[in-house]
Amino acid sequence: MNFRKEAESIKDELIAFRRDIHMYPEASMMEFRTTDKICEKLDEFAIPYRRIEPAGVIADIKGAKPGKTIAIRADIDALSIAEKTGLPFASVNEGLMHACGHDTHATMLMGAAKILNQHKDELCGNVRLFFQPGEEVCQGAKAIIAQGGMEGVDAAFMIHNGTMMPAGAVILTKGPSHAATDSFKIKVTGKTSHGAAPQVGKDAIVAASAIVMALQTMVSRWTTPTDPLVVTVGKFHAGSRFNIISGYAELEGTCRSYDVELHHSIPAKMEEIAKNTAAAYGCTAEVEYLMMCEPLINDDAMIALAKKAAAKVVDSPDMVLDGIAQMGGEDFSEYSVLVPGCFASLGQGGELPNHHECVIHDENTFPIGTALYCQVAYDYLNGEE
């Protein structure tokens, strides 16, 4: 079985599909045209599928022989970034860009769909394909699950492009690879007064400033030093005039963590700190905390399988690399808490990171990613050779 050779044979088709959806990026949970284009290709390949609400596709390739089911996933949403690459197929949708490369993920999964469907008589089990909306807002995986996508699934695998990593390399991280991703808003209420008479009011700016500092004790004094935790206040809005004591302030931020127990204990601790700190300044605080997605913890057996699969499709053995954990979030974790899962990165080279308005992804890597999707699915279902 030479999936790399088969993927190279459809490289032009992959590039054409990618450039089309790159030119028309769509916001999270609004990927309607992208969904249409995916369905058109699946119809062409005669692969059964169903659209999910509000956007996205679940497709199934049923092997001729009984066995397990593996889900392979690509996300399809874009970012609210104005593209400045100058590419001839740059975004024509103002203020939207595939700056995280989800167009490349959808392309490689589409290529894998075509190839695996041609080999379905050899598969001992089934391949389920998720063309998932809304990864950037951590809503898409939950939508897939809520609409029955994970029913009967035994394992899950995904590929994400890796900018500033060696082009064509496959990078796999054992254990945690992405942090739990949460957001929070803290509303502080005091009492407005004249700036020349602070004793009459209750200064919400001072109270909120103290809360910003106090929240960092969650990192330095509340958690075990070996359990990483990030608490970031990214927005601070307060005040209306230079000579008025503000009676209201609002903070917004994010928390990131790897440990599941720690992740679920953060909201209560944050509320305790915010309310008690505000009270010390004569103010009150209200906390809104949203747990967006769980930490992504790769399964050891799936990582081992993916490493062997990657060695079959890359240019040389030294192009299979060990990765390191990062504090960014990835809602593939919603699947990996249900079944053994594996996140792989495909190196793209370059000097710019994802989410940059000038980032360019290497189309020459598409056959490698396509072949990797195929090889992992085949090896999981049929046994690694």
CSV table of all heavy atoms in Angstrom, one decimal, residues 105 108 157-163 165-166 168-173 177-178 310 314 319-321 323-324 326 342-348 354 368-369 372:
chain,number,residue,atom,x,y,z
A,105,HIS,N,-6.5,21.8,6.0
A,105,HIS,CA,-6.9,20.6,6.7
A,105,HIS,C,-8.1,19.9,5.9
A,105,HIS,O,-8.1,18.7,5.7
A,105,HIS,CB,-7.4,20.9,8.1
A,105,HIS,CG,-6.4,21.7,8.9
A,105,HIS,ND1,-6.7,22.4,10.0
A,105,HIS,CD2,-5.0,21.9,8.7
A,105,HIS,CE1,-5.6,23.0,10.5
A,105,HIS,NE2,-4.6,22.7,9.7
A,108,MET,N,-6.8,18.2,2.7
A,108,MET,CA,-6.1,16.9,2.9
A,108,MET,C,-7.1,15.8,3.3
A,108,MET,O,-6.9,14.6,2.9
A,108,MET,CB,-5.0,17.1,4.0
A,108,MET,CG,-3.9,18.0,3.5
A,108,MET,SD,-2.4,18.1,4.6
A,108,MET,CE,-3.2,19.0,6.0
A,157,PHE,N,-8.5,10.8,15.1
A,157,PHE,CA,-7.2,11.3,14.6
A,157,PHE,C,-7.4,12.6,13.9
A,157,PHE,O,-8.4,12.8,13.2
A,157,PHE,CB,-6.5,10.3,13.8
A,157,PHE,CG,-5.2,10.8,13.2
A,157,PHE,CD1,-4.0,10.9,13.9
A,157,PHE,CD2,-5.1,11.1,11.8
A,157,PHE,CE1,-2.8,11.4,13.4
A,157,PHE,CE2,-3.9,11.6,11.2
A,157,PHE,CZ,-2.8,11.7,12.0
A,158,MET,N,-6.4,13.6,14.0
A,158,MET,CA,-6.5,14.8,13.2
A,158,MET,C,-5.1,15.3,12.9
A,158,MET,O,-4.1,14.9,13.5
A,158,MET,CB,-7.2,15.9,14.1
A,158,MET,CG,-6.4,16.3,15.3
A,158,MET,SD,-6.9,18.0,15.8
A,158,MET,CE,-6.2,19.0,14.6
A,159,ILE,N,-5.1,16.2,11.9
A,159,ILE,CA,-3.8,16.8,11.4
A,159,ILE,C,-4.1,18.3,11.4
A,159,ILE,O,-5.1,18.8,11.0
A,159,ILE,CB,-3.4,16.4,10.0
A,159,ILE,CG1,-3.1,14.9,10.0
A,159,ILE,CG2,-2.2,17.2,9.6
A,159,ILE,CD1,-2.9,14.4,8.6
A,160,HIS,N,-3.1,19.1,12.0
A,160,HIS,CA,-3.1,20.5,11.9
A,160,HIS,C,-1.8,21.0,11.3
A,160,HIS,O,-0.7,20.4,11.6
A,160,HIS,CB,-3.2,21.1,13.3
A,160,HIS,CG,-3.6,22.6,13.3
A,160,HIS,ND1,-2.9,23.6,12.8
A,160,HIS,CD2,-4.8,23.1,13.8
A,160,HIS,CE1,-3.5,24.7,13.0
A,160,HIS,NE2,-4.7,24.5,13.6
A,161,ASN,N,-1.8,21.9,10.4
A,161,ASN,CA,-0.5,22.4,9.8
A,161,ASN,C,0.3,23.1,10.9
A,161,ASN,O,-0.2,23.7,11.8
A,161,ASN,CB,-0.8,23.4,8.7
A,161,ASN,CG,-1.4,24.7,9.1
A,161,ASN,OD1,-0.7,25.6,9.6
A,161,ASN,ND2,-2.7,24.8,8.9
A,162,GLY,N,1.6,23.0,10.8
A,162,GLY,CA,2.5,23.5,11.8
A,162,GLY,C,3.5,24.5,11.1
A,162,GLY,O,4.5,24.1,10.5
A,163,THR,N,3.1,25.8,11.2
A,163,THR,CA,4.0,26.8,10.6
A,163,THR,C,5.3,26.9,11.4
A,163,THR,O,5.3,26.6,12.6
A,163,THR,CB,3.3,28.2,10.6
A,163,THR,OG1,2.8,28.5,11.9
A,163,THR,CG2,2.1,28.2,9.7
A,165,MET,N,7.7,25.1,11.3
A,165,MET,CA,8.3,23.8,11.5
A,165,MET,C,8.8,23.3,10.2
A,165,MET,O,8.3,23.7,9.1
A,165,MET,CB,7.2,22.9,12.1
A,165,MET,CG,6.7,23.3,13.5
A,165,MET,SD,5.4,22.2,14.1
A,165,MET,CE,4.9,23.0,15.6
A,166,PRO,N,9.7,22.3,10.2
A,166,PRO,CA,10.3,21.9,8.9
A,166,PRO,C,9.2,21.4,8.0
A,166,PRO,O,8.4,20.5,8.3
A,166,PRO,CB,11.2,20.7,9.4
A,166,PRO,CG,11.6,21.0,10.8
A,166,PRO,CD,10.4,21.7,11.4
A,168,GLY,N,7.0,19.5,5.6
A,168,GLY,CA,6.9,18.0,5.3
A,168,GLY,C,7.1,17.1,6.5
A,168,GLY,O,7.0,15.9,6.4
A,169,ALA,N,7.5,17.7,7.7
A,169,ALA,CA,7.8,16.9,8.9
A,169,ALA,C,6.4,16.6,9.6
A,169,ALA,O,5.5,17.4,9.5
A,169,ALA,CB,8.7,17.6,9.8
A,170,VAL,N,6.3,15.5,10.2
A,170,VAL,CA,5.2,15.2,11.1
A,170,VAL,C,5.6,15.2,12.5
A,170,VAL,O,6.6,14.6,12.9
A,170,VAL,CB,4.6,13.8,10.7
A,170,VAL,CG1,3.5,13.4,11.7
A,170,VAL,CG2,4.1,13.7,9.3
A,171,ILE,N,4.9,16.1,13.3
A,171,ILE,CA,5.3,16.3,14.7
A,171,ILE,C,4.2,15.7,15.6
A,171,ILE,O,3.0,16.1,15.4
A,171,ILE,CB,5.5,17.8,15.0
A,171,ILE,CG1,6.6,18.4,14.0
A,171,ILE,CG2,5.9,18.0,16.4
A,171,ILE,CD1,6.0,19.0,12.7
A,172,LEU,N,4.6,14.9,16.5
A,172,LEU,CA,3.6,14.2,17.4
A,172,LEU,C,4.1,14.4,18.9
A,172,LEU,O,5.3,14.3,19.2
A,172,LEU,CB,3.6,12.7,17.1
A,172,LEU,CG,3.0,12.4,15.7
A,172,LEU,CD1,3.5,11.1,15.2
A,172,LEU,CD2,1.5,12.4,15.7
A,173,THR,N,3.2,14.7,19.7
A,173,THR,CA,3.4,15.1,21.1
A,173,THR,C,2.8,14.0,22.0
A,173,THR,O,1.6,13.8,22.0
A,173,THR,CB,2.9,16.5,21.5
A,173,THR,OG1,3.5,17.4,20.6
A,173,THR,CG2,3.3,16.8,22.9
A,177,SER,N,-1.0,17.9,24.7
A,177,SER,CA,-0.4,18.7,23.6
A,177,SER,C,-1.0,20.1,23.6
A,177,SER,O,-0.4,21.1,23.1
A,177,SER,CB,-0.6,18.0,22.3
A,177,SER,OG,-1.9,17.9,21.9
A,178,HIS,N,-2.2,20.3,24.1
A,178,HIS,CA,-2.9,21.5,24.1
A,178,HIS,C,-3.7,21.7,25.4
A,178,HIS,O,-4.2,20.7,26.0
A,178,HIS,CB,-3.9,21.6,22.9
A,178,HIS,CG,-3.3,21.7,21.6
A,178,HIS,ND1,-2.7,20.6,21.0
A,178,HIS,CD2,-3.1,22.7,20.7
A,178,HIS,CE1,-2.2,20.9,19.9
A,178,HIS,NE2,-2.4,22.2,19.7
A,310,ALA,N,3.4,7.6,10.1
A,310,ALA,CA,4.1,8.8,9.6
A,310,ALA,C,5.4,8.4,8.9
A,310,ALA,O,5.8,8.9,7.8
A,310,ALA,CB,4.4,9.8,10.6
A,314,VAL,N,6.5,10.1,5.1
A,314,VAL,CA,7.4,11.2,5.0
A,314,VAL,C,8.5,10.9,4.1
A,314,VAL,O,8.8,9.8,3.7
A,314,VAL,CB,7.9,11.6,6.4
A,314,VAL,CG1,6.7,12.2,7.2
A,314,VAL,CG2,8.6,10.5,7.1
A,319,MET,N,12.2,12.9,9.5
A,319,MET,CA,11.1,13.9,9.4
A,319,MET,C,9.9,13.6,10.3
A,319,MET,O,8.8,14.2,10.2
A,319,MET,CB,10.6,14.0,8.0
A,319,MET,CG,11.7,14.5,7.0
A,319,MET,SD,12.2,16.2,7.4
A,319,MET,CE,10.9,17.2,6.6
A,320,VAL,N,10.0,12.6,11.2
A,320,VAL,CA,9.0,12.3,12.2
A,320,VAL,C,9.6,12.8,13.5
A,320,VAL,O,10.6,12.2,14.0
A,320,VAL,CB,8.7,10.8,12.3
A,320,VAL,CG1,7.6,10.6,13.3
A,320,VAL,CG2,8.2,10.3,10.9
A,321,LEU,N,9.0,13.8,14.1
A,321,LEU,CA,9.6,14.5,15.2
A,321,LEU,C,8.7,14.5,16.4
A,321,LEU,O,7.5,14.3,16.3
A,321,LEU,CB,9.9,16.0,14.8
A,321,LEU,CG,10.6,16.3,13.5
A,321,LEU,CD1,10.7,17.8,13.2
A,321,LEU,CD2,12.0,15.7,13.6
A,323,GLY,N,7.1,16.4,19.5
A,323,GLY,CA,6.6,17.8,19.8
A,323,GLY,C,6.6,18.1,21.3
A,323,GLY,O,6.9,17.2,22.1
A,324,ILE,N,6.3,19.3,21.6
A,324,ILE,CA,6.2,19.7,23.0
A,324,ILE,C,4.8,20.3,23.2
A,324,ILE,O,4.2,20.8,22.2
A,324,ILE,CB,7.3,20.8,23.3
A,324,ILE,CG1,7.2,22.0,22.4
A,324,ILE,CG2,8.7,20.1,23.3
A,324,ILE,CD1,8.1,23.1,22.8
A,326,GLN,N,1.8,22.8,24.2
A,326,GLN,CA,1.6,24.3,24.1
A,326,GLN,C,0.4,24.7,24.9
A,326,GLN,O,-0.5,23.8,25.1
A,326,GLN,CB,1.5,24.7,22.7
A,326,GLN,CG,0.5,24.0,21.9
A,326,GLN,CD,0.4,24.4,20.4
A,326,GLN,OE1,0.0,25.5,20.1
A,326,GLN,NE2,0.8,23.5,19.5
A,342,CYS,N,-5.5,11.3,18.9
A,342,CYS,CA,-4.1,11.7,18.5
A,342,CYS,C,-4.1,13.0,17.6
A,342,CYS,O,-4.8,13.0,16.6
A,342,CYS,CB,-3.4,10.6,17.8
A,342,CYS,SG,-1.7,11.0,17.2
A,343,PHE,N,-3.4,14.0,18.0
A,343,PHE,CA,-3.2,15.2,17.3
A,343,PHE,C,-1.9,15.2,16.6
A,343,PHE,O,-0.8,15.0,17.3
A,343,PHE,CB,-3.3,16.4,18.2
A,343,PHE,CG,-3.0,17.8,17.7
A,343,PHE,CD1,-4.0,18.6,17.3
A,343,PHE,CD2,-1.7,18.2,17.5
A,343,PHE,CE1,-3.7,19.9,16.8
A,343,PHE,CE2,-1.4,19.4,16.9
A,343,PHE,CZ,-2.4,20.3,16.6
A,344,ALA,N,-1.8,15.4,15.3
A,344,ALA,CA,-0.5,15.5,14.6
A,344,ALA,C,-0.4,16.9,14.0
A,344,ALA,O,-1.3,17.5,13.5
A,344,ALA,CB,-0.5,14.4,13.5
A,345,SER,N,0.9,17.4,13.9
A,345,SER,CA,1.2,18.6,13.2
A,345,SER,C,1.9,18.2,11.9
A,345,SER,O,2.8,17.3,11.9
A,345,SER,CB,2.0,19.5,14.0
A,345,SER,OG,1.3,20.1,15.1
A,346,LEU,N,1.7,18.9,10.8
A,346,LEU,CA,2.4,18.8,9.6
A,346,LEU,C,3.1,20.0,9.3
A,346,LEU,O,2.5,21.1,9.1
A,346,LEU,CB,1.4,18.5,8.5
A,346,LEU,CG,2.0,18.3,7.0
A,346,LEU,CD1,2.9,17.2,7.0
A,346,LEU,CD2,0.9,18.2,6.0
A,347,GLY,N,4.5,20.0,9.3
A,347,GLY,CA,5.3,21.1,9.2
A,347,GLY,C,5.1,21.9,7.8
A,347,GLY,O,4.9,21.2,6.8
A,348,GLN,N,5.1,23.2,7.9
A,348,GLN,CA,4.8,24.1,6.8
A,348,GLN,C,6.0,25.0,6.4
A,348,GLN,O,5.9,25.7,5.4
A,348,GLN,CB,3.6,24.9,7.0
A,348,GLN,CG,2.3,24.2,7.2
A,348,GLN,CD,1.9,23.5,6.0
A,348,GLN,OE1,1.6,24.1,5.0
A,348,GLN,NE2,1.8,22.2,6.0
A,354,ASN,N,0.8,30.9,12.4
A,354,ASN,CA,-0.6,31.0,12.1
A,354,ASN,C,-1.3,32.2,12.7
A,354,ASN,O,-0.7,32.7,13.7
A,354,ASN,CB,-1.3,29.7,12.6
A,354,ASN,CG,-1.1,28.5,11.6
A,354,ASN,OD1,-1.0,28.7,10.4
A,354,ASN,ND2,-1.0,27.3,12.2
A,368,ILE,N,1.5,14.7,1.7
A,368,ILE,CA,2.0,14.0,2.9
A,368,ILE,C,0.8,13.9,3.9
A,368,ILE,O,0.6,12.9,4.5
A,368,ILE,CB,3.2,14.8,3.5
A,368,ILE,CG1,4.3,14.8,2.5
A,368,ILE,CG2,3.6,14.1,4.8
A,368,ILE,CD1,5.5,15.7,2.9
A,369,GLY,N,0.1,15.0,4.1
A,369,GLY,CA,-1.0,15.0,5.1
A,369,GLY,C,-2.1,14.1,4.6
A,369,GLY,O,-2.7,13.4,5.4
A,372,LEU,N,-1.0,10.6,5.3
A,372,LEU,CA,-1.0,10.3,6.7
A,372,LEU,C,-2.4,10.0,7.2
A,372,LEU,O,-2.6,9.1,8.0
A,372,LEU,CB,-0.4,11.5,7.5
A,372,LEU,CG,-0.2,11.3,9.0
A,372,LEU,CD1,0.6,10.1,9.3
A,372,LEU,CD2,0.3,12.6,9.6
